[in-house]
Amino acid sequence: MSEGQWPALAGQLDQWRSGLFDWLSQLAEELPALPGILAQLADPTQALAALRLFALIVLILVLQRILRGQGDQLIDRLAVWQRSGAAGLAPLRGATVIVAAVGIHAVKIAVVAAIAYGAVLVGLVPAPTWATAASQFALAFVIAEIGRLALNAFLEPRASSARVLPMDDAGATSWESRLSALIRAGTYGLVFAVPGIALQVPALAELAQLIIVVIVLAGVLAALRDARAAVRAWLLDLGHRRRGLFLRPLTRVLAPVWHLLAGLYSIVMAALLVAAPPAVLQFTVEASALSVVIMLIAGFIGHWLSSLARIGRYLPAAVRTRMPMIQARLNHWLPKLLGVVHLLLAVIALALIADAWRLIDLGAWMESSGGESVMGAVGALLGIGILAVAVWIMAASWIEDRLNPDTGSGAPGAREKTLLALFRNALAIAIVTLAGMVALAEIGINIGPLIAGAGVIGLAIGFGAQKLVQDIITGVFIQLEDAIHTDDFITAAGISGTVERLSIRSVGLRDLSGTLHIVPFSSVDTVSNYTRDFGYHLGVYEVAYRENIGDVVEHLQKAYERLCGDGDIAPEVTGPLEVDGVTALAESSVKVRVRIRSTAGMQWAVGRAYNRYVKEVFDNAGISIPFPHMTLYFGEDKAGNAPPAHVALTDESKPTKEG
């Protein structure tokens, strides 16, 4: 402390000492006069006025007693309704119970206050002194009941599942009664008793104020001592469950010292109530009350917003079956959004508290251009984030429902899987891009150069990856045309095989030898699909020139009848035998072509079975099937005589070891 501050401190101490002596002197003068003041009540007029005031007080207390149980049955029914409802609606039902309970208590307070002020206005208590005392009692009643109303919002004894603070019914009832008694003692004492005494004996009123403040302060400190361990554990658990960048460090700091801070604040407020000038006291009380209200409202809103983070686990079973990943998405995104909302709520609460203590002028800042810009940008960013997350969750869940083989029309095809996967990725990129661009625009960043730069980068990538772009574009159109499915047998880029893998860029073909070929779509000019809708076995059968074609066709029909009688292959035959007739007169055979329609992909199996039956029928009928052979011709003279063929038989066996 500097040397210049010592005289000021000494002057302040001297002023306090002088004021204390003046108060003691005034108190010494008022105490002997107290019997005379009380003797004034012997006057019939004063006695009647006091009696009317007493009657008004009794009327207010009786009305409060009568109305105390009114609405409790409704609160009990709502509590039962809240506990018996679906788990998914628990947060909403709990908030409904709290709002209903607070509303019922508020209506009862309003009714009693209206009757009390109405009695004062109609002159039940004569003016001015006694009427002022009656108004002060009505004001004390309203303030005390509003304080109890705030307690009921956090310690509602009748609805444990809707209670904000974590405690059982017995604990909630005990703490509600204890804190209500402190609120009533302080409110009725300081708002009604002290001003009433001050009308006749001001010094004695100050003494009464000191006694009331000390009693209430002792009760508050005792309550802080008893609640120290429980609140510390609750704060640590709260920080552990909600691992935010703001809340967890704050709870770790506050948990060990919260009772010290609260006790220090209570002592300072008690000192101000006793010794501060009226203007300072009024400002401090108003700022403190407003700060408490702001913190209570912020805490209440934050508590019920936090319950939204658990909404994913309460989704109906049908929704979880159709969309198995929606709960994981909600559990992933909702805590992040709620963390941002909680941060904004904390900033708003701190700003309002700072404005209440006149540390900042929040109203002037909000009316300024900078304040309007910041509030607009924050609101827009929050709205953009919520909208983007909501669109992504809805779209991803819809795609998941379409891809789920247990719902809808069954397992989707490869085409639908590929297109939906492409759509999901494209949608994610679009949402991130659009949300980012709009967010940057909202905070005042010119996105024109960014868009132009993105266009240049996209053009450069397009030139540098032409083959990749061609693969993707061709793959998109192939998928849109539904040309290929997984397990189809196709020919693409000169390679035939079964489709094992299908993506937006390439197709994987497994040929008959087991080799897997990866064919980029940019190299595919034509796709031949052998397993779409139906197939045909196209067979060309060669017979000798000496055979009768009518007999051949008849026996081909017999082979078809045997094919249709085969229980294994007959279900795959879907059409009659189509005989195209003689298609060619070859060098050593006559070719007859037939065609048999089959299910898709089974034309080869049908052909193999039919070939077997044709061979069997032709063999039984003696119909010759030509095959390659060699004829030795020794020539002949002009007379038609052929020279003799000299055949020499030789023994070329190898000698044995014994020989």
Side-chain angles (χ1 to χ4, degrees):
M1 182 177 293
S2 62
E3 295 181 358
Q5 293 176 334
W6 283 108
L9 179 60
Q12 185 67 39
L13 292 175
D14 185 67
Q15 183 179 356
W16 286 346
R17 182 178 56 187
S18 176
L20 178 61
F21 284 133
D22 292 341
W23 174 71
L24 291 174
S25 300
Q26 186 178 2
L27 181 62
E29 294 175 0
E30 291 177 354
L31 288 177
L34 187 60
I37 295 174
L38 296 176
Q40 294 178 4
L41 296 177
D43 180 49
T45 303
Q46 298 294 328
L48 180 60
L51 184 61
R52 289 184 175 183
L53 175 61
F54 179 75
L56 178 61
I57 294 174
V58 172
L59 175 63
I60 293 175
L61 297 179
V62 170
L63 286 175
Q64 182 188 18
R65 183 73 178 180
I66 293 174
L67 295 177
R68 176 180 299 175
Q70 300 299 320
D72 289 350
Q73 293 182 353
L74 176 59
I75 296 176
D76 292 337
R77 287 197 295 269
L78 288 174
V80 173
W81 167 75
Q82 194 272 340
R83 290 191 296 268
S84 62
L89 299 177
L92 180 60
R93 289 177 179 240
T96 302
V97 174
I98 290 295
V99 171
V102 171
I104 291 171
H105 293 318
V107 169
K108 292 189 287 187
I109 294 171
V111 170
V112 177
I115 294 175
Y117 280 108
V120 174
L121 291 176
V122 299
L124 178 63
V125 180
T129 303
W130 298 101
T132 301
S135 299
Q136 289 297 118
F137 183 83
L139 178 62
F141 169 80
V142 172
I143 295 175
E145 293 305 313
I146 289 177
R148 294 185 63 244
L149 192 64
L151 282 179
N152 283 333
F154 289 85
L155 297 172
E156 178 56 51
R158 295 181 176 273
S160 59
S161 53
R163 191 175 300 130
V164 174
L165 297 180
M167 59 178 61
D168 55 17
D169 293 345
T173 302
S174 174
W175 277 102
E176 196 271 341
S177 300
R178 184 174 182 178
L179 296 179
S180 295
L182 289 175
I183 291 174
R184 285 172 174 169
T187 304
Y188 286 113
L190 297 177
V191 178
F192 170 65
V194 171
I197 297 173
L199 293 175
Q200 300 295 331
V201 280
L204 187 59
E206 294 180 2
L207 178 60
Q209 179 180 357
L210 176 61
I211 294 173
I212 294 171
V213 168
V214 170
I215 293 174
V216 174
L217 177 61
V220 170
L221 294 178
L224 292 176
R225 179 199 60 200
D226 296 339
R228 176 182 59 185
V231 175
R232 179 180 180 274
W234 176 66
L235 288 174
L236 292 176
D237 179 67
L238 182 66
H240 178 73
R241 286 186 290 108
R242 301 176 185 173
R243 301 179 180 181
L245 297 177
F246 174 77
L247 185 60
R248 189 173 187 180
L250 182 62
T251 54
R252 284 186 172 182
V253 173
L254 287 180
V257 299
W258 76 270
H259 59 287
L260 299 178
L261 297 177
L264 179 62
Y265 176 80
S266 301
I267 293 172
V268 171
M269 286 300 301
L272 291 176
L273 282 171
V274 173
V280 175
L281 179 60
Q282 180 181 0
F283 168 75
T284 305
V285 172
E286 291 177 354
S288 299
L290 189 58
S291 300
V292 172
V293 171
I294 292 171
M295 288 188 291
L296 290 177
I297 293 175
F300 188 81
I301 295 175
H303 171 77
W304 291 111
L305 283 177
S306 298
S307 63
L308 295 177
R310 304 188 298 270
I311 197 172
R313 70 183 68 170
Y314 302 131
L315 291 173
V319 175
R320 293 199 300 269
T321 300
R322 294 182 66 93
M323 307 172 186
M325 291 300 297
I326 189 172
Q327 180 177 349
R329 292 190 184 96
L330 290 174
N331 293 338
H332 175 75
W333 286 106
L334 281 181
K336 292 179 171 56
L337 286 178
L338 292 175
V340 175
V341 174
H342 280 134
L343 180 60
L344 291 177
L345 188 62
V347 171
I348 293 173
L350 291 176
L352 291 174
I353 292 174
D355 181 71
W357 289 94
R358 298 181 185 176
L359 300 177
I360 60 173
D361 190 350
L362 187 59
W365 179 80
M366 293 175 63
E367 294 176 356
S368 65
S369 59
E372 293 178 354
S373 300
V374 171
M375 289 189 298
V378 171
L381 291 176
L382 184 60
I384 291 169
I386 294 175
L387 180 62
V389 171
V391 170
W392 168 246
I393 291 177
M394 293 173 60
S397 300
W398 174 79
I399 293 173
E400 180 185 13
D401 179 51
R402 294 297 302 270
L403 294 176
N404 191 345
D406 298 328
T407 60
S409 57
R415 169 176 174 264
E416 189 174 7
K417 288 182 181 179
T418 305
L419 292 178
L420 287 175
L422 176 65
F423 174 71
R424 179 170 54 194
N425 296 335
L427 182 64
I429 295 173
I431 289 175
V432 172
T433 302
L434 291 177
M437 289 295 182
V438 176
L440 292 175
E442 287 295 332
I443 62 178
I445 296 178
N446 185 10
I447 62 174
L450 293 178
I451 296 176
V456 173
I457 294 174
L459 186 62
I461 293 175
F463 278 115
Q466 294 184 43
K467 205 68 174 177
L468 177 62
V469 174
Q470 185 179 359
D471 289 341
I472 294 175
I473 294 176
T474 306
V476 169
F477 281 101
I478 288 177
Q479 294 301 320
L480 289 175
E481 293 172 359
D482 198 16
I484 303 174
H485 288 174
T486 303
D487 296 330
D488 284 356
F489 191 87
I490 68 170
T491 297
I495 300 174
S496 297
T498 302
V499 177
E500 286 196 354
R501 185 180 62 83
L502 186 62
S503 68
I504 198 60
R505 178 188 167 272
S506 63
V507 59
L509 300 178
R510 179 83 64 177
D511 64 15
L512 295 179
S513 65
T515 304
L516 179 64
H517 304 270
I518 305 299
V519 182
F521 282 124
S522 59
S523 61
V524 176
D525 295 326
T526 303
V527 175
S528 301
N529 196 322
Y530 301 97
T531 51
R532 185 60 54 85
D533 300 331
F534 58 88
Y536 277 100
H537 162 61
L538 187 64
V540 178
Y541 300 95
E542 300 181 7
V543 296
Y545 272 93
R546 63 183 176 84
E547 303 295 342
N548 185 285
I549 299 302
D551 291 341
V552 171
V553 172
E554 180 182 352
H555 286 85
L556 287 174
Q557 184 66 39
K558 290 181 179 179
Y560 174 75
E561 293 173 357
R562 288 192 181 184
L563 177 69
C564 294
D566 188 337
D568 294 333
I569 201 66
E572 309 300 335
V573 179
T574 60
L577 177 67
E578 300 177 10
V579 181
D580 295 335
V582 177
T583 59
L585 299 174
E587 295 180 356
S588 60
S589 65
V590 178
K591 295 183 178 180
V592 180
R593 186 173 68 192
V594 299
R595 195 169 70 155
I596 302 175
R597 181 167 173 166
S598 69
T599 56
M602 294 301 294
Q603 57 265 41
W604 298 285
V606 170
R608 289 191 295 269
Y610 186 67
N611 289 338
R612 177 166 62 88
Y613 289 124
V614 167
K615 177 67 167 59
E616 292 176 356
V617 169
F618 280 10
D619 289 346
N620 292 335
I623 297 175
S624 175
I625 301 176
F627 56 90
H629 58 277
M630 180 181 295
T631 301
L632 295 178
Y633 178 62
F634 295 97
E636 60 183 14
D637 55 16
K638 291 182 178 181
N641 298 318
H646 300 282
V647 179
L649 299 177
T650 60
D651 186 6
E652 296 182 354
S653 60
K654 295 181 180 180
T656 62
K657 292 182 178 180
E658 290 76 8

